[in-house]
Amino acid sequence: MRVVIVGNGVAGIEAALALRAREPGATITIVSEESDHFFSRTALMWIHSGQLRHEETEPYERDLYARERFERVRARAVGLDPEAHTVRLAGGLAPLPYDRLLVACGSRPRPTPWPGAELRGVGHFVTHQDLAWLEREVWGGPSRGGSPPRPDAHLAATDERSPYRPRPDGHAARGGPPRHPVVIGGGLVGIEAVEVLLAAKLTPRFLVREEWFWPLALDRAEADWITGRLRAHGVLVHLGEHVEALEGEGTLARVRTDRASYDADVCVVAIGVVPNTDWIGDALARDAGGGVLVGPGLETSAEDVFAAGDCASVRWFHGARMPEPLWYTARAQGRVAGRRLAGDRADYARGVFYNSSKLADVEHTTVGLVSMNVEGERNWRFEERGAVRSTLRVVLAGERVVGMNALGRRWDHAVWIRWIEERRSLAYVLSHLAEASFDTELVPPLVVPRDAREAPPEGPAPSVIDAPLPAPEA
Amino acid sequence: MDLQGQDGLLTTWREGWRARGVAGWLVAALLTGFYVDLYFTDHLEPAARALGLPSKWMLYGAIYSVAMVGGAIYYLRAHGNGRYHRVRVGVNVAVQIALAFLLPLVMPWFGGEEFYFSYLWPLDWYKLHPATLASLPVHLALYSLLGSLIAAPLLAWRFGKRWYCSWVCGCGGLANTFGDPWRHLTSKRAAAWRFERVAVHTVMVLAILSTALLALDHVVGERHETLRLVVASAEPWSIKRLYGLVVGAVLAGVVGVGVYPLFGPRVWCRNFCPMAAVLGLAQKLGRFRIRVKPDMCISCGNCSTYCEMGIDVRAYAQRNESFTRAACVGCGMCAHVCPRGVLRLENAPPDERVRLPLAR
């Protein structure tokens, strides 16, 4: 059996491993433009600062491909012919025939929508090639940890639409690091870009379109804490400001917004990611955002073709179909896809939503329905400012706890998931908080005073979701 | 204000002296030279006398303490936002200064023994020599015996070997302070782990066997000339002299500290320390563990990279396996650098111990 996997990320590799465990004899070919080795994309920021080397961000040792007999092709997939069961490659390479195909090609940076995207000094922070560009802009090159092996191996087989093309930088022309770095976009990649600039002792300007940082996940008070931390580190945070143009003669010189025009020599555009699926064209049914529509078993509209990870548009618990751009969901989808590639029956079942992140130096945990505009939603809030600073928000639908959002402390999401599934009340949860604590030893435990515990929850939190979500059963 | 995780990003591989650059090699050469000089010459004796110290070893104790304080300041500037680090490093430095420097310095002024409370057998291999025990007042001899054979393993069973290796021990203390800038250089390769297991348990067996032979010699050596000659004589090839030279001077000192900037600060602790081996076995049977939150790991690699003992923590974290490794000294750095709060050091409640998948 010939299996082709387009994508060398977590979904693709987990699928390949699951398939190999089931089918020792299958021919497995992994097509990747970006890199020889599977790496943790979430770790780009630490490579940039010098905290990690490339090899250390690779979850498996480099002999994985030889050991598991995964063939690798460093090339861009440019087309898919479901009738002929082939994947077309750039660079004049022969089309790859498959018996079963997995599309796991992930995301690409959302394109810059303003004039000036092509200026030298403008880039993103999503791919290895973006990382190399920003390393050159800021530090003049990679750290002593070096570059990944064969960083340019794909250049003979790519095209101009690829997000993995090297970008020229202005470090040499400038004679040093940027003096006026700008980051556009108030999400996770944006805040990572801000952090790497801070690590290089630069003072970034952080342009956020929304009224507060990351309204998808935080309410205003929570976000204010984060932006306050950034400002304390010297970041010039601008909220509610809309970029209109990137300006300069060949090289970036200014960023113009609806309020002012700022000097700028390097600009990281971090306004989200989109499925990296334009090469598929009409060969597979896709959603409005470009995600490959998949059924419960990750099957696509074409026979023998599956999709997993950031590029797959799955059905969410609230019924909408969109990608789940998370590490652990991509891994879980990859495992299901691997079983499907082996011919087994398997479905991707998503439980209660959860995620964690780190916002500057503040840790964030979220579980369940938070800022989702749930019908009849109420929010119980507690802010702790003592030896530890933390916030805890418990989301209720009626009397039932349906979500939590926390900053500062560490929580075991598995316990919160259990509480949500057990339809616990606020009083129950608040009197059992210690069970869900994952704080480091010696950190004083969270104590919620009685009056705070008995304070009535407030109304719904602001949400970016317009249509109210039906409340889960009580 | 306490923050549990890392505050700001490290620039480790952009600092040449921390990245096996020329400066790193130079520091390694200097450290190695210092230890060769310390152990095999008496160059430092006049300096010690000039400072009013009784011996070069006391001068070494002073330098050691200063290096630990300097390293602790460096460490806490980077990681001091974590309470565990503040308390642990504070205790470790205080133990070094009080028990491994000041007390041995001043005790003889009052007619007491120069006794090091913070070093126990088999790390302090001489502590259970019959000759040593016989020369000590009874309470100190009892302290050495009970502390080494009962209290230390028992505490490791209850709290993990960290109680000693990263809260009390001077070797661990120096590694965690002065040696901290190089912690990422400890090898994470499977081959390094195989070497560790063979080497550290070999030294442990040698330490126990040699001590037993010395005890035997103490009892029957008068009547067995060959035994005395081989075990306890002043010949350079006697077991007593050889162990002292190879393990005490070369492995613990010259190699142990000399290669900090090349192979990380725990080369001695990980591969050669017999005490670490004994306590590691107690730890494997005991309550200490690193708990892993299910399906939250993003495989970034920070935990493994910054493990000074070369444990591939990520391999467990991304498999959702809580684990106990004999080598782990409980420094807490994996949990600290984890950007998703996935790891937690803890002494598991007794009823949860059996459910632990004890890693290989």
Side-chain angles (χ1 to χ4, degrees), chain A residues 16 111 117 140 150 160 212 317 336 339 364 404 426 445 451 454:
Chain A
R150 309 199 316 137
E160 69 287 346
W212 66 87
F317 56 91
V336 170
R339 295 171 60 191
H364 169 233
M404 72 84 89
L426 178 64
D451 56 335
E454 288 169 358

Side-chain angles (χ1 to χ4, degrees), chain A residues 8-11 13-14 17 35 37-43 47 52-65 67 128 327 331 335, chain B residues 188 297-305 312-319:
Chain A
N8 196 9
V10 59
I13 287 293
E14 289 297 331
L17 286 169
S35 126
H37 300 282
F38 163 46
F39 67 96
S40 177
R41 188 174 306 286
T42 52
I47 302 175
L52 296 177
R53 292 178 293 176
H54 276 276
E55 192 168 359
E56 288 155 352
T57 68
E58 294 161 12
Y60 300 104
E61 291 196 27
R62 285 185 172 169
D63 63 359
L64 176 80
Y65 299 84
R67 213 173 56 225
H128 262 178
W327 183 265
R331 194 168 65 166
R335 287 174 184 163
Chain B
K188 312 303 181 302
C297 174
I298 53 168
S299 296
C300 66
N302 278 297
C303 52
S304 295
T305 301
D312 189 0
V313 181
R314 170 175 57 192
Y316 302 97
Q318 66 190 8
R319 287 200 303 258

Side-chain angles (χ1 to χ4, degrees), chain A residues 63-86:
Chain A
D63 63 359
L64 176 80
Y65 299 84
R67 213 173 56 225
E68 300 287 343
R69 288 169 287 117
F70 298 154
E71 291 168 16
R72 270 176 297 189
V73 178
R74 278 290 293 280
R76 176 168 176 77
V78 291
L80 172 56
D81 188 344
E83 294 296 314
H85 275 52
T86 55

Side-chain angles (χ1 to χ4, degrees), chain A residues 393-437:
Chain A
R393 172 151 63 104
V394 181
V395 186
L396 303 161
E399 295 305 312
R400 181 186 167 182
V401 170
V402 296
M404 72 84 89
N405 209 42
L407 293 172
R409 286 185 177 271
R410 291 182 170 178
W411 295 97
D412 186 346
H413 60 287
V415 176
W416 282 94
I417 289 173
R418 200 184 72 223
W419 287 340
I420 289 170
E421 286 173 347
E422 290 170 354
R423 303 165 186 220
R424 295 295 184 180
S425 67
L426 178 64
Y428 177 90
V429 163
L430 292 184
S431 56
H432 289 76
L433 282 179
E435 289 171 26
S437 169

Side-chain angles (χ1 to χ4, degrees), chain A residues 145-392:
Chain A
S147 300
R150 309 199 316 137
D152 296 331
H154 61 300
L155 293 184
T158 186
D159 67 19
E160 69 287 346
R161 291 186 304 170
S162 164
Y164 306 107
R165 292 163 69 86
R167 254 190 117 79
D169 66 279
H171 191 274
R174 226 174 16 244
R179 280 185 294 274
H180 306 291
V182 175
V183 175
I184 303 174
L188 290 179
V189 177
I191 206 164
E192 286 177 8
V194 165
E195 282 187 79
V196 305
L197 293 166
L198 283 177
K201 303 207 184 323
L202 304 177
T203 306
R205 191 180 295 282
F206 190 22
L207 298 174
V208 177
R209 178 182 60 177
E210 291 80 15
E211 290 302 312
W212 66 87
F213 175 73
W214 209 25
L216 201 59
L218 305 179
D219 70 15
R220 187 185 288 265
E222 292 160 343
D224 281 351
W225 180 14
I226 307 302
T227 37
R229 295 289 298 176
L230 292 178
R231 286 182 172 131
H233 287 297
V235 181
L236 308 164
V237 184
H238 300 253
L239 299 173
E241 193 156 342
H242 294 249
V243 173
E244 291 180 342
L246 311 176
E247 298 171 338
E249 301 291 327
T251 300
L252 177 69
R254 280 171 312 281
V255 173
R256 183 160 54 78
T257 72
D258 55 353
R259 288 194 212 150
S261 179
Y262 305 106
D263 287 340
D265 41 15
V266 164
C267 179
V268 181
V269 180
I271 52 173
V273 292
V274 294
N276 184 20
T277 50
D278 47 354
W279 61 279
I280 293 170
D282 297 328
L284 302 175
R286 293 190 289 153
D287 68 17
V292 176
L293 289 165
V294 293
L298 303 181
E299 61 279 357
T300 67
S301 57
E303 206 173 343
D304 298 322
V305 180
F306 303 87
D310 273 18
C311 64
S313 190
V314 296
R315 193 173 294 285
W316 282 52
F317 56 91
H318 46 62
R321 292 179 85 166
M322 54 185 179
E324 280 182 309
L326 298 169
W327 183 265
Y328 70 94
T329 54
R331 194 168 65 166
Q333 288 178 21
R335 287 174 184 163
V336 170
R339 295 171 60 191
R340 296 304 310 263
L341 292 170
D344 293 345
R345 183 69 227 171
D347 279 345
Y348 172 66
R350 180 68 205 277
V352 171
F353 179 89
Y354 67 88
N355 197 20
S356 69
S357 54
K358 192 163 179 182
L359 309 168
D361 39 21
V362 179
E363 291 179 32
H364 169 233
T365 309
T366 187
V367 184
L369 304 173
V370 173
S371 301
M372 295 294 283
N373 195 8
V374 178
E375 245 177 306
E377 172 187 321
R378 294 181 301 153
N379 286 263
W380 177 90
R381 289 182 175 81
F382 181 67
E383 186 174 352
E384 177 194 23
R385 285 202 195 207
V388 179
R389 181 168 175 185
S390 76
T391 67
L392 175 62

